[in-house]
Each structure stands twice: as C-alpha cells, then as structure tokens.
Amino acid sequence: MNLSQLELLRIMQESDFNLSKAAEKMHIVQSAVSRQLQMLERELGSPLFERRGKKLLGMTPLGARIMEEVAVIHCAKKNIQTLALDFLDCNQGVLHIATTHTQAKYFLPVPIHRFKEKYPGVKIYMVQASPEQLIDQLHSRKADIAICTEKVDEDANLVVKNCYEWGHAAIMPKGHPLCEGEITLARLASYPILTYNLGFTGRSNIENAFNNVGLSIDITLAATDTDVIKTYVRWGMGVGLIASMAFEPLAETDLVIRDLSHLISRSVTKVAYLKNHYLPQYSQHFIDGLLLAAQEMQA
Amino acid sequence: MNLSQLELLRIMQESDFNLSKAAEKMHIVQSAVSRQLQMLERELGSPLFERRGKKLLGMTPLGARIMEEVAVIHCAKKNIQTLALDFLDCNQGVLHIATTHTQAKYFLPVPIHRFKEKYPGVKIYMVQASPEQLIDQLHSRKADIAICTEKVDEDANLVVKNCYEWGHAAIMPKGHPLCEGEITLARLASYPILTYNLGFTGRSNIENAFNNVGLSIDITLAATDTDVIKTYVRWGMGVGLIASMAFEPLAETDLVIRDLSHLISRSVTKVAYLKNHYLPQYSQHFIDGLLLAAQEMQA
DNA sequence: TAAGGTTACGGCGATCGTAACGATC
DNA sequence: GATCGTTACGATCGCCGTAACCTTA
C-alpha cells in the first residue's frame, strides 16, 4: 500500500469509477491505473470495487469503509504539506473562501481589503454558493473557510465561530403605505413579499416568524441575492424582506427601510472550517480579522 | 512524500533518533534511512530534525507538529489493514487487552473463556499495567482495548463504556475486633491499613472517604494486587481495604469480609478503546461479552 | 465499432546495499 | 577508536508507457 494508490482510490471515486478519467487526473496512462488498483486489491485480499464484467461500478462495502480512512489520510497529508509551506514563508499562500452573496457583498469587503494590505503575497479565491454547497466545499477541501449564517452548526466536523448578529428589515419604494405607521407581521403579510431563497440568509427565520402567529405569506419572488430583490421592489412588485446590513442608505434614496428586529428573530453569521484541516497562520489571522471587523460593525 | 518515509519518522521517534536502530526496525540499512529522511526534508523545504553537527537530537517544532499528522496517517493505515483482514475472515485475528491485576483476576476470566470458545481462531494477548500505562498502550496501539476503573474518563480520544459498578470492603483475620459491631470510618482509621497503590482500583475513593470527614489513615502497605494485601492481612499487619469482588468466600475461610459500600463511594469499571482505532468485529463482540458478563455479575 | 478494462513487454528511474569517508564522543 | 551519520556507486526492482488484446454497450 502506498500513498499514490490511496490517492488513486480517491480520484476514482471523483471520476465516476472511470479508469481513463482517473488516469488523466493522475497524469498517468490508463493501464497503470488498472494495475495499481489490482495490486492494491490483491494486497488487501478483497475486491474494493463493485464490477459488472470488467466495468467498475462503485465501491464494495469494504471499499466504502476504507474510503473513510483514505479521506483521513488525504487530509493529514495535505496538512503536512501546508504546514511545511506555512513554515517556509507564512506570508505567502492561497486562501479559498466560500461564502454567500450577502456576506461577500456587505460584510467581507472591509476585512478582505485589510487582509490584502497585510498579506499581499496571499492569493484570495472567493467562491459564492449556497450554504449546503459551502459545507461540501469545506469537506472536499476546495474551500478553507466558509462564512455564512445557516446550516453550519449541524456539522460536528466543523469548527464554528460566531461573527456578528444581525436582523432583517423591510424595504419598499418611497410612498408605499408601509412607510408610515407601526409595522406588524399582519400588515407585512398583506403585501406580496420578495425575499431570499430557501436556505439563504436567514430565510428560515422569516418563515418561522409568520408561521408562529399563523400567518401565511405570498412570496412573489425568491432570490439568492439582495440586489435582485431590491430591483423588483423598485418595480413595485411588493415588499422586500432583506438582511438589514444589505441596505446602503446613501445609495438607495428611492427606497425606505424599516427595521424588523422586533418581529423576526435575529441571525448570527459564522465562520467555519474543518476541524482536521490545518489552516496556515495567515488564514488564522484572516479569521481574527473577520471577528474584529464584525465587532466594529456591531458597535 | 510516501508512506515509508512517514513510517520512518515514527520509527525514528521510537528509536531515540538513532538512525541505526531505526534502520534495523525498518529492515533496511542505515544509509537508506539517512537518505530517505534527507529527501523528505528537502521535499518539505525545512529540517524536521534538530541536529548538533550530524547527530540527530529530536524533532524541530515543525517536525513535532508534523508528527501529529503522521500519527493520524499511521492509525488510518492500520485501520485499512485491519478492515481488510477482518473482512477476509472475521473469526481470525489478534486481540490485545490491557488491564489491571484486579480485573484480570476477578472479572475477566469468565468473559474471556466464553470468547475463546466462540472465537478459537483469535489470539488473545493480555498485558497487565497501571491505569496510566494502559492508556499509553492504547495510544501507541500496543493494546486494542483497556479495562480499568481509573483515569480513563479524562481522555477525549477514548470511547469509554461502563462495565459494572462495585464497592470496597474491609478484610481482617477471624477474631479481629472489627469483625464485630458497626463499622465506621473512625474505627477503621484506628488500625493500620493495607490497600492498593495510588491510582489503582479505586484507591482515590478510599482516600476521599477518610479525608472528607477529616480522618487520616496509616497505610502500612500499598500494593497493586489484592493477593499481596490478603497475605499481609493474614500476617496480622492490619485491616485490608479491597474491592469486594476480589474476595472469594469459599477459598478464604480464615478471613472475614465486611462491606463498606455505605462508607466509601462506589467505583465503575470501564472498557475503553481509541476513537479512531478500528476494532475488528470479534473485538466488538468481545466488548459486548464484557458488558453482558458485567450485567450478570451485578444481578 | 467505439469505449472501457486487462495483459504483455521493454525501458527508465527510484531506492536499496555495499563501502568508503567524516564527525563526534 | 567506537559509534553515528553522510556520500558515492553499482545493482535491482518497481512502475510507467506502448501496444496488442478482450469485453460489452
């Protein structure tokens, strides 16, 4: 057994159990892959791949169980490499951030800008995705850290740190009836609603607030990002329910914002990373910077 | 980087950083070890070993950190091998049990005998040691499971299952004053005491019982095993405080036993194994058997 | 028949062992 | 000078790539 054979197992899984694809990713020829897998199976004494004829279809139960250990080994191996690079030059490297639209646009610009000034040698890659996808990205080590509000607490393999707390707000065009008088859930529910997609930016809290008092809302439009919501609110399609930090008073003088903190329970945006995944020092500093920026924002 | 280089790192640490010893354990010549370590260090870009001149003295901070990952990899690799063997023939293999004298003599005979009947193909090795040593044995993978009463709860890397609960008892020769009348801590404390070594078989509970009421005891003799205590009790050296299951009424008619459950808080014997360490099926069955035997004993 | 997988064979490179050398106590 | 580590060199063995072959959609 050796590391490249185990790596091969991983690649095979990522390549639909197709030898040719796996070979390409490993930069060797197909026959070499075939041989290595056979040798590994012979060494372990049992087949690891389910086959029909010669075609590989998937892992056997044994193979699947072994893949868990392979994942552990892969992670540790990567850690060793990161560790060594970090030790060589802790001001150089790559940082993969996975986050949602709201965080990328309304929270991250300041901390990322500061970080870039301090660590010009670190390349930042940002991926934007849904909360579920973010977590997948962490697990597949495509992202080093994820910043989001939802889903992240449920995973025991993640280290999760609270960043900042925020609430929702309603936005509407100037002159809309809701601009005046006390805002209630009932009044809100009487208008068409524009808000985030399921699983995004505290959408579940919005849902719950109305459900808890037996109101149902008519969601005319659901989007992953606030800008789309604003656009359609401007077109008079209804009332927008957005994260309050996603409203920029200076730029959006045609809209009115009304706070809903007393009606919809507040959310917490968190930063998360894999427990077993070694983060280079600059990444740890980046997280520190996030927490600091979050504190400043709260104050 | 490859598995044998990482294995080499482990072996080096176990060999006082002596190339010759490490080479012997790896069944290769010294020069090969030297080269492999150099190649690894070159690949990672930093020295992993602290050196004075040419002599290797220990790990650098980087090296030490990397060793943590190496341990993870080693564990996962062993798991893969165990997994494959277990799958090939789940009735064959080796089971290393680490335990204390008391458990080995008074609890384990029944479950081990039963296990041997069901799994004649499994070789059982038993190591007897102190609770601290047991845990070390688990970590160094010299033992698969540990059975003992103390220390085992403090380690987050262990899976711990409660086996059975038991209390202490006092033993004394027939005719001793303590054979008659109500037993109290004060009465006990007025005699020389013979009991277990610190860290063994609920010794701390004994300590606490007397300390809590402000009594101090004169421990004439401390031993790791009950038989030594009994021997000296027979010689009239004092009162023995032992685990009550360590008294065999039929065989020891010259001694009197008096229960102390109401005076000294009861202990729980547990079975523990490493969280990340894969146990073959027969080992899991062995643990089931332990728990069963423990239940029967309680009833 | 094209695509995927296996088998056979020749060549290259990684790693080993022998052995001589250097350093350190 | 004995022990320990490094360096040099030749030999071996493992692994790759080419290519022919088998199997199935």
Side-chain angles (χ1 to χ4, degrees):
Chain A
M1 184 189 335
N2 59 47
L3 281 178
S4 47
Q5 287 172 331
L6 300 183
E7 183 68 10
L8 208 46
L9 290 182
R10 272 193 56 255
I11 301 291
M12 278 296 285
Q13 213 174 31
E14 285 182 358
S15 316
D16 302 317
F17 306 98
N18 179 317
L19 286 196
S20 315
K21 288 189 206 167
E24 197 172 347
K25 290 192 196 174
M26 295 282 290
H27 307 293
I28 55 177
V29 297
Q30 185 203 39
S31 70
V33 173
S34 175
R35 247 173 305 156
Q36 288 300 322
L37 293 180
Q38 283 177 58
M39 291 178 65
L40 183 58
E41 288 185 318
R42 192 155 356 119
E43 180 183 340
L44 295 179
S46 310
L48 303 179
F49 291 95
E50 215 78 75
R51 293 174 166 82
R52 185 169 60 233
K54 292 186 173 180
K55 187 152 177 56
L56 305 183
L57 300 172
M59 310 298 298
T60 59
L62 174 64
R65 179 61 186 77
I66 285 180
M67 287 310 292
E68 294 175 31
E69 307 295 332
V70 169
V72 168
I73 291 178
H74 180 247
C75 179
K77 181 183 128 197
K78 288 292 219 172
N79 282 350
I80 291 177
Q81 289 165 338
T82 312
L83 228 14
L85 287 177
D86 194 28
F87 190 86
L88 271 182
D89 180 358
C90 61
N91 296 314
Q92 203 132 25
V94 187
L95 176 55
H96 290 264
I97 304 170
T99 187
T100 58
H101 178 271
T102 310
Q103 307 307 327
K105 177 146 186 193
Y106 300 102
F107 170 46
L108 292 179
V110 172
I112 285 187
H113 183 73
R114 284 193 196 154
F115 179 80
K116 259 289 176 197
E117 284 187 336
K118 196 165 169 199
Y119 294 95
V122 176
K123 270 204 158 55
I124 297 189
Y125 293 102
M126 259 197 6
V127 192
Q128 193 179 312
S130 74
E132 286 103 339
Q133 290 170 328
L134 297 185
I135 295 178
D136 283 348
Q137 301 251 344
L138 289 180
H139 279 115
S140 60
R141 260 183 116 107
K142 288 194 194 101
D144 300 305
I145 51 189
I147 299 152
C148 70
T149 307
E150 319 240 335
K151 301 271 179 191
V152 100
D153 292 306
E154 300 152 21
D155 194 317
N157 293 315
L158 297 182
V159 177
V160 179
K161 294 183 176 171
N162 287 343
C163 250
Y164 64 96
E165 193 187 304
W166 53 269
H168 287 89
I171 54 172
M172 58 225 84
K174 266 198 174 135
H176 191 282
L178 272 181
C179 296
E180 303 294 330
E182 193 194 350
I183 290 249
T184 63
L185 290 174
R187 274 189 81 195
L188 276 171
S190 69
Y191 295 93
I193 297 293
L194 300 86
T195 189
Y196 301 107
N197 276 334
L198 266 173
F200 275 81
T201 322
R203 158 82 183 254
S204 51
N205 291 9
I206 297 176
E207 219 82 10
N208 291 338
F210 288 96
N211 286 343
N212 287 344
V213 295
L215 287 168
S216 74
I217 49 176
D218 163 29
I219 297 183
T220 303
L221 180 142
T224 56
D225 69 271
T226 318
D227 296 332
V228 172
I229 298 173
K230 287 177 188 163
T231 303
Y232 286 89
V233 167
R234 288 200 173 91
W235 279 85
M237 282 188 56
V239 178
L241 298 189
I242 63 170
S244 39
M245 76 271 188
F247 188 81
E248 297 165 302
L250 301 178
E252 334 201 71
T253 47
D254 53 337
L255 294 178
V256 172
I257 182 166
R258 304 209 58 184
D259 189 54
L260 300 179
S261 282
H262 53 304
L263 298 177
I264 299 175
S265 53
R266 292 169 68 77
S267 302
V268 178
T269 292
K270 300 128 194 156
V271 50
Y273 53 92
L274 270 187
K275 208 176 263 177
N276 301 322
H277 178 134
Y278 172 74
L279 292 183
Q281 287 179 36
Y282 57 78
S283 302
Q284 297 169 30
H285 291 161
F286 178 74
I287 292 177
D288 295 343
L290 280 188
L291 299 178
L292 193 70
Q295 270 181 20
E296 291 172 11
M297 209 179 63
Q298 301 268 28
Chain B
M1 183 187 339
N2 59 46
L3 281 178
S4 47
Q5 288 172 332
L6 300 183
E7 183 67 10
L8 209 45
L9 290 182
R10 273 192 55 255
I11 301 290
M12 280 296 287
Q13 215 174 29
E14 287 182 358
S15 316
D16 302 317
F17 306 99
N18 178 317
L19 285 195
S20 315
K21 289 189 207 170
E24 197 172 345
K25 290 191 197 176
M26 296 282 290
H27 308 293
I28 55 176
V29 296
Q30 187 202 39
S31 70
V33 174
S34 174
R35 247 173 307 162
Q36 287 301 322
L37 292 179
Q38 283 178 57
M39 291 177 65
L40 183 59
E41 287 184 319
R42 190 154 0 118
E43 178 182 342
L44 295 179
S46 309
L48 303 179
F49 291 95
E50 216 78 75
R51 293 173 165 81
R52 185 168 61 235
K54 292 187 172 179
K55 187 154 177 55
L56 304 182
L57 301 171
M59 310 298 297
T60 58
L62 174 64
R65 178 62 186 75
I66 285 181
M67 287 309 292
E68 295 176 30
E69 307 295 333
V70 169
V72 169
I73 291 177
H74 179 245
C75 180
K77 182 183 127 197
K78 288 292 220 170
N79 282 351
I80 292 177
Q81 291 165 337
T82 311
L83 229 14
L85 287 177
D86 195 28
F87 191 85
L88 271 183
D89 181 358
C90 62
N91 295 313
Q92 204 132 25
V94 188
L95 176 55
H96 289 264
I97 304 170
T99 187
T100 58
H101 177 271
T102 310
Q103 307 307 326
K105 179 148 181 189
Y106 300 101
F107 170 46
L108 292 179
V110 171
I112 285 188
H113 183 74
R114 282 192 198 156
F115 179 80
K116 259 290 176 195
E117 285 187 334
K118 195 165 170 199
Y119 294 96
V122 176
K123 270 203 160 53
I124 296 189
Y125 292 102
M126 262 202 358
V127 193
Q128 193 178 313
S130 74
E132 286 102 340
Q133 290 169 328
L134 297 185
I135 295 176
D136 282 349
Q137 301 252 344
L138 288 180
H139 278 115
S140 61
R141 258 183 118 106
K142 288 194 193 102
D144 300 305
I145 48 190
I147 299 152
C148 69
T149 307
E150 318 240 334
K151 301 273 179 191
V152 100
D153 293 305
E154 300 151 23
D155 192 319
N157 293 315
L158 297 182
V159 177
V160 180
K161 294 183 176 172
N162 287 344
C163 250
Y164 64 95
E165 192 187 306
W166 52 271
H168 287 89
I171 54 172
M172 57 226 83
K174 267 198 173 135
H176 190 281
L178 272 181
C179 295
E180 304 293 329
E182 194 196 346
I183 292 248
T184 64
L185 290 174
R187 274 188 83 195
L188 277 170
S190 68
Y191 296 93
I193 297 292
L194 298 88
T195 190
Y196 301 107
N197 277 333
L198 266 172
F200 276 82
T201 324
R203 158 80 182 254
S204 51
N205 290 10
I206 298 177
E207 220 83 11
N208 292 338
F210 289 96
N211 287 343
N212 286 345
V213 295
L215 287 167
S216 74
I217 47 176
D218 163 28
I219 296 182
T220 303
L221 181 143
T224 55
D225 69 271
T226 317
D227 297 332
V228 171
I229 299 173
K230 286 177 189 165
T231 303
Y232 286 89
V233 168
R234 288 200 172 92
W235 280 86
M237 284 186 56
V239 177
L241 299 188
I242 64 170
S244 40
M245 75 274 189
F247 188 80
E248 297 166 301
L250 302 176
E252 335 200 73
T253 48
D254 55 336
L255 294 177
V256 172
I257 182 167
R258 304 209 58 186
D259 189 56
L260 300 178
S261 283
H262 55 301
L263 298 177
I264 299 174
S265 55
R266 292 167 69 76
S267 301
V268 179
T269 292
K270 300 128 194 155
V271 50
Y273 54 91
L274 270 187
K275 209 176 262 176
N276 300 323
H277 177 133
Y278 173 73
L279 292 183
Q281 289 180 34
Y282 58 78
S283 303
Q284 297 170 28
H285 290 160
F286 178 74
I287 293 177
D288 295 342
L290 279 187
L291 299 178
L292 192 69
Q295 270 181 19
E296 291 172 11
M297 209 178 63
Q298 300 268 31

